[in-house]
Amino acid sequence: MDGDAEGVWSPDIEQSFQEALAIYPPCGRRKIILSDEGKMYGRNELIARYIKLRTGKTRTRKQVSSHIQVLARKKVREFQASIKVSSHLQVLARRKSREIQSKLKDQASKDKALQNMAALSSAQIVSPNLIKSQLPPLPQPPYPPPALAPGSRFWPTPIPGQPGPSQDIKPFAQTYPNLPGPVPPPISAYEPLAPPLPPTATAVPVWQDRTIASSKLRMLEYSAFMEVPRDQDTYSKHLFVHIGQTNPSYSDPLLEAVDIRQIYDKFPEKKGGLKELYEKGPQNAFFLVKFWADLNSSDMQDGPGSFYGVSSQYCSTENMTITVSTKVCSFGKQVVEKVETEYARVEGGKCVYRIHRSPMCEYMINFIHKLKHLPEKYMMNSVLENFTILQVVTNRETQETLLCIAFVFEVSTSEHGAQYHVYRLIKD
């Protein structure tokens, strides 16, 4: 176990550990405060917390510290070994230099070669291809080289996947699987080997666990807005809430998790409620979105021609018909529900589902009007504390839950308008 007191770290824990090392740089004895929790964490505590959120498995702060020390000792040993290799390279470089000097007769060529060699590092000097490109050709012997005995030739032609005699061998060299190699003739009386299978895609797509996405459906965009006509052909648009399209990368942090039981009382508990849906699963389809809504639309004159709407967009690798149920809840009870059906449109090899400019229900329009007329933001937030929306996207044919998103709200105080934060819903 190489001195690792806590035992073998399984691959999933080790992967999460390495991700956390990249996310949280060393900070000495300082503590980091997480704004959404208000708690102070040291780096090892943050790494342990990340492992717990990512894998559900517990590693203590001391176990993380011990593992870091084990890896540090391993790095030191590798560095010491590389120093020994470097020393050997220098010896080989000096030997190569002596050989070249003994073969160069012409003084001008010798001077030029020595100038070129002075500019090379030890590692470059011992690389055959660099020596050939940097030094002038050696004088050819007046007689042909002796023929090699049968069986004594090495690599007469390049072997597929291996470097040729003039190539520099590099560790972890990039391979090019699409380049065809020579195909040997089949051996009689034996079945030819099946061609190798193509490399499989990454087990977990980059957008999963980093965006609102299950294994079958991903939300690309969501917005609730008001449009006010300015003249016959143009209008002004105000976004109350908005989730824009993103391009996540594997270096982005994973979504933080919230225990779903903390919000059970904010949504219906009867048949088809949040609790029953979560128990039915799949549990990677459940998310919580905290919106800071922008109600500051004073620069737009609301009137009879105003349009209140909701737009959303999803994508999937499967062609199916989806049903989108949106339930508006007050004090945990359903007030109104809107159900919409959408069909796939194939774009760029993916199935895209768009619900564009769906009219907002009368209840929501009146609710927004009353909310905007409250004199203080704390009063608005007091009302919003008991106001939630539950959106459930299902496969119409199989009734499988594709996404379940719980929306909770506060009023935005930011000059940048509407803001949001996404969490995964779990059950510890």
Side-chain angles (χ1 to χ4, degrees), residues 5 105 139 391:
K105 304 296 184 183
Q391 184 183 88

Side-chain angles (χ1 to χ4, degrees), residues 161-173:
Q162 297 290 344
S166 65
Q167 288 180 283
D168 188 15
I169 300 174
K170 297 180 175 62
F172 311 108

